Amino acid sequence: GAVVSQHPSRVICKSGTSVKIECRSLDFQATTMFWYRQFPKKSLMLMATSNEGSKATYEQGVEKDKFLINHASLTLSTLTVTSAHPEDSSFYICSGRELSSYNEQFFGPGTRLTVL
Amino acid sequence: GNSVTQMEGPVTLSEEAFLTINCTYTATGYPSLFWYVQYPGEGLQLLLKATKADDKGSNKGFEATYRKETTSFHLEKGSVQVSDSAVYFCALMKNQGGKLIFGQGTELSVKP
């Protein structure tokens, strides 16, 4: 199947700083990318959907000014957690979907964010 | 609203045991249903899917049948292996190209 990578795999930062997470589709063009958040023992919660070259669409309750998403190319999307706080500590997972596979998303391995 | 409920984990089985992980959903109409698997340290992978009632998805010895009458999509495997140890997620998609709605995941541990 198609491969999606995320970088970094884990990051620790101080409260008040910003953290950028990269999501790359390595062998396909991801016209749409999704960002999820996963709490321990909990399901994946969709945060936002982004189409290449367009502004992201955020789910209800997700602060767009706090979680900045950029999808400037067909192989790269970034999630920036601005002014991070301990409650933002979580596992962030991205996925990509190409135009021809409307039902299938390919997931990255996730990024563990810890805010001290 | 649309939702997915899975049985609580962790589930611990001996090798070659029979596996069932229950999944029920709430949705109007006819969603597509999916099982994803997440091996340790890796991303979610699509395991199988079914797009209409009575369809059976199957892959790697796993099966699940789309039951509209019971709104269920239970995952089964006749004989599990240690390598099947992972977290399994049931999910639905309401419309083509729509967003995935996940259950909470069920951790499976298979002992030799």
Side-chain angles (χ1 to χ4, degrees):
Chain A
V3 181
V4 174
S5 70
Q6 282 184 241
H7 178 80
S9 57
R10 54 179 66 231
V11 56
I12 300 172
C13 69
K14 292 183 178 179
S15 188
T17 61
S18 294
V19 174
K20 180 183 284 189
I21 301 170
E22 292 186 350
C23 175
R24 293 182 185 273
S25 56
L26 299 185
D27 52 3
F28 70 102
Q29 294 187 325
T31 50
T32 304
M33 282 188 168
F34 303 85
W35 285 95
Y36 295 85
R37 184 171 176 176
Q38 184 179 30
F39 295 94
K41 307 293 185 187
K42 297 285 186 184
S43 176
L44 279 72
M45 181 194 79
L46 180 65
M47 298 174 67
T49 303
S50 72
N51 293 302
E52 185 260 340
S54 303
K55 287 185 178 179
T57 301
Y58 290 81
E59 295 298 302
Q60 193 172 7
V62 178
E63 297 176 61
K64 62 181 180 182
D65 293 330
K66 180 165 188 63
F67 298 100
L68 301 178
I69 291 171
N70 183 282
H71 189 177
S73 80
L74 286 171
T75 59
L76 173 65
S77 176
T78 59
L79 167 68
T80 301
V81 183
T82 62
S83 187
H85 288 97
E87 57 265 30
D88 299 324
S89 298
S90 193
F91 196 57
Y92 293 88
I93 301 174
C94 72
S95 70
R97 186 181 71 204
E98 56 185 341
L99 196 59
S100 60
S101 62
Y102 220 40
N103 260 356
E104 187 161 4
Q105 296 178 26
F106 303 100
F107 287 82
T111 296
R112 171 74 60 194
L113 170 63
T114 303
V115 184
L116 301 177
Chain B
N2 302 316
S3 65
V4 176
T5 303
Q6 291 179 233
M7 64 187 286
E8 290 272 341
V11 173
T12 303
L13 295 173
S14 297
E15 208 165 18
E16 299 184 4
F18 185 86
L19 168 72
T20 300
I21 300 178
N22 290 336
C23 171
T24 57
Y25 68 90
T26 300
T28 56
Y30 294 88
S32 295
L33 301 174
F34 304 80
W35 277 101
Y36 283 85
V37 58
Q38 186 177 30
Y39 298 103
E42 298 183 18
L44 274 73
Q45 302 172 26
L46 179 64
L47 181 59
L48 53 85
K49 67 180 180 183
T51 57
K52 60 184 189 295
D54 300 325
D55 264 3
K56 178 187 283 188
S58 60
N59 185 25
K60 299 181 182 179
F62 291 89
E63 292 182 342
T65 301
Y66 189 143
R67 301 283 188 205
K68 178 70 176 172
E69 63 276 13
T70 53
T71 61
S72 65
F73 193 54
H74 304 321
L75 182 68
E76 296 182 336
K77 186 174 186 182
S79 175
V80 293
Q81 306 300 312
V82 172
S83 57
D84 294 325
S85 298
V87 181
Y88 293 81
F89 291 90
C90 185
L92 73 81
M93 182 183 291
K94 184 68 193 301
N95 303 306
Q96 279 273 356
K99 60 184 181 182
L100 282 166
I101 296 171
F102 287 90
Q104 71 270 36
T106 302
E107 182 180 359
L108 170 66
S109 178
V110 181
K111 307 295 185 188

